[in-house]
Amino acid sequence: LHRRAQGILLSDNSVEDATSAFAESELLADALDHLEAQQQHHGHQAEFSRLQLQGILEQAPIGIVITRNDMLELLSQQASLMLGYSRAELEGRSVRQLFADEAHFDELARQMREGAAARGGYEGEFELRRKDGSQLWARVVGRMAIDRKSAMAAVWVLEDITTARDERRKPMWANSHDLLTNLPNRTAFQERIRSLLAHKAERGADNPDSGIVLLHLDVDHFTLVNDRLGHEAGDMLLRQFASLLDELVRHVGWVARLGGDEFAVVLPNCTAERAELIAEHVRASIEEWEFAYDGQTSMTTVSIGIVVAPCDLEDVTPWLRAADMACYYAKRAGRNRVMVREVADKATTV
């Protein structure tokens, strides 16, 4: 149990650093499964393991809440600070007291049940209330533990997005972001790329083996989701896909939506070899993801094109076109794969 839960605190700058909050909550859910088994057979050992888990939660750098039967059982120190309560004030109390109103809690409970039935968990944004009554918008990632169907126990990972939501209300934000996914749009993406390349040119070739790598991604067979489940389902898939993609690469780069089902990932200060590992990690993670809507599920895959920016790159257009073509070749080769291409060169399969 100690090794499983402690895994959320480890970081070695490997590709696995880009794993999402889904993985963190799943890890703790597994730890709770193990703890429940101990409680049934070894009472003293279970209490020791519970204390170990509580000690780890005190060090966790993220907001974690563990619930059982809609009651708050354990919280990380970061979650307590985020909510403005001490752990003693929350543990043993109803989860409902953290929500702005009953409707918000009931809606989360409904979506959590549907997500648990489809793929064991849920991810979304909800309004909470701090102890002083102030508003807290949190990105919530939940995972079932022990009895996943009846949601008797769950692990929640919380991220404070209050400031980010406030920014979304500003006109300048709307001009530079995609309103469906909240990612930077194509215009903002190109401006940021040009700025990044200019900054790299000013610094010179500090590390000739490390550059800027562009990943161009297309959701495979996206039109089939629209045709089978409807455009509302298609929009939901794109929102969830964008959130998952952002989680997967946020420690190593940043994401933009180029339009439709096309996305871009920019990896600054990255080698070609590492970019291929990251792209393969993204591809495999998305392949494991199952999209659920209105009781129906759909498996999702992605085609990815990779292009490293040449050292003497001045015009970004050929670079963007090469990444688009690499992704196109990935689709032509059968989809759900990664292709590497150089500017004005042929594509190769990873």
Side-chain angles (χ1 to χ4, degrees):
L1 173 64
H2 184 269
R3 287 194 300 271
R4 292 180 184 183
Q6 195 175 40
I8 65 171
L9 304 178
L10 301 181
S11 174
D12 62 356
N13 295 319
S14 63
V15 172
E16 285 71 21
D17 281 346
T19 54
S20 66
F22 286 103
E24 294 165 344
S25 55
E26 193 71 64
L27 189 66
L28 279 171
D30 289 343
L32 275 185
D33 287 344
H34 185 69
L35 180 57
E36 177 72 4
Q38 284 186 336
Q39 288 175 334
Q40 293 177 2
H41 299 98
H42 307 287
H44 293 299
Q45 184 179 357
E47 179 60 23
F48 176 71
S49 295
R50 188 180 188 280
L51 291 175
Q52 281 188 314
L53 180 58
Q54 179 67 78
I56 291 170
L57 291 181
E58 290 178 1
Q59 304 174 52
I62 56 177
I64 301 171
V65 177
I66 296 174
T67 65
R68 191 184 302 273
N69 295 328
D70 293 339
M71 303 296 288
L72 296 161
E73 185 165 290
L74 292 171
L75 292 91
S76 69
Q77 183 67 25
Q78 186 62 35
S80 297
L81 293 173
M82 191 184 301
L83 296 164
Y85 291 89
S86 68
R87 289 203 304 272
E89 291 176 307
L90 288 177
E91 291 176 359
R93 302 292 184 89
S94 172
V95 180
R96 293 176 182 268
Q97 79 175 71
L98 300 181
F99 285 79
D101 51 49
E102 291 286 319
H104 277 76
F105 176 80
D106 292 340
E107 177 62 17
L108 176 60
R110 181 188 69 80
Q111 295 186 26
M112 185 66 179
R113 285 193 299 271
E114 292 179 356
R119 60 188 187 97
Y122 168 76
E123 179 264 336
E125 297 179 3
F126 274 88
E127 182 183 2
L128 305 178
R129 282 280 182 262
R130 299 186 181 94
K131 182 180 179 180
D132 62 8
S134 61
Q135 181 187 62
L136 168 66
W137 275 96
R139 180 171 175 271
V140 179
V141 178
R143 274 292 182 274
M144 295 295 96
I146 304 170
D147 188 344
R148 299 176 189 270
K149 290 186 178 180
S150 64
M152 293 296 290
V155 174
W156 307 90
V157 175
L158 308 180
E159 178 187 1
D160 186 349
I161 59 169
T162 307
T163 301
R165 286 186 65 95
D166 289 342
E167 287 294 320
R168 294 177 199 168
R169 298 191 182 99
K170 298 178 180 179
M172 290 184 62
W173 188 94
N175 292 334
S176 61
H177 287 75
D178 172 58
L179 300 183
L180 178 66
T181 63
N182 297 321
L183 294 175
N185 58 23
R186 180 182 285 270
T187 300
F189 161 75
Q190 292 179 338
E191 290 178 355
R192 189 169 177 181
I193 281 292
R194 291 188 177 95
S195 176
L196 192 62
L197 289 172
H199 181 63
K200 182 174 177 60
E202 290 175 1
R203 290 187 296 120
D206 294 339
N207 183 359
D209 295 326
S210 180
I212 304 172
V213 184
L214 174 62
L215 276 55
H216 187 113
L217 303 90
D218 271 17
V219 180
D220 295 331
H221 302 299
F222 175 68
T223 55
L224 296 181
V225 175
N226 276 335
D227 294 342
R228 184 166 67 92
L229 302 178
H231 289 283
E232 183 178 340
D235 287 348
M236 182 178 294
L237 184 149
L238 290 176
R239 283 195 296 269
Q240 293 185 12
F241 174 87
S243 179
L244 175 58
L245 181 59
D246 182 56
E247 281 290 341
L248 287 168
V249 304
R250 65 169 49 187
H251 298 294
V252 291
W254 51 274
V255 186
R257 185 188 180 196
L258 302 181
D261 61 344
E262 298 180 30
F263 295 81
V265 172
V266 179
L267 304 173
N269 304 315
C270 187
T271 64
E273 293 77 12
R274 180 166 169 75
E276 291 177 19
L277 290 174
I278 292 171
E280 177 56 29
H281 176 66
V282 168
R283 186 208 60 76
S285 298
I286 292 172
E287 186 179 25
E288 294 176 357
W289 175 54
E290 188 176 57
F291 171 68
Y293 179 81
D294 196 23
Q296 300 187 62
T297 60
S298 176
M299 302 301 294
T300 304
T301 60
V302 65
S303 299
I304 305 176
I306 303 177
V307 180
V308 179
C311 297
D312 58 349
L313 183 68
E314 295 181 357
D315 181 8
V316 300
T317 303
W319 186 36
L320 303 182
R321 186 182 300 117
D324 185 20
M325 289 304 298
C327 184
Y328 169 74
Y329 284 121
K331 282 186 172 293
R332 281 190 57 182
R335 296 181 170 83
N336 189 28
R337 63 195 63 213
V338 176
M339 286 282 191
V340 179
R341 184 182 176 92
E342 295 182 5
V343 176
D345 201 352
K346 295 181 179 180
T348 56
T349 307
V350 177

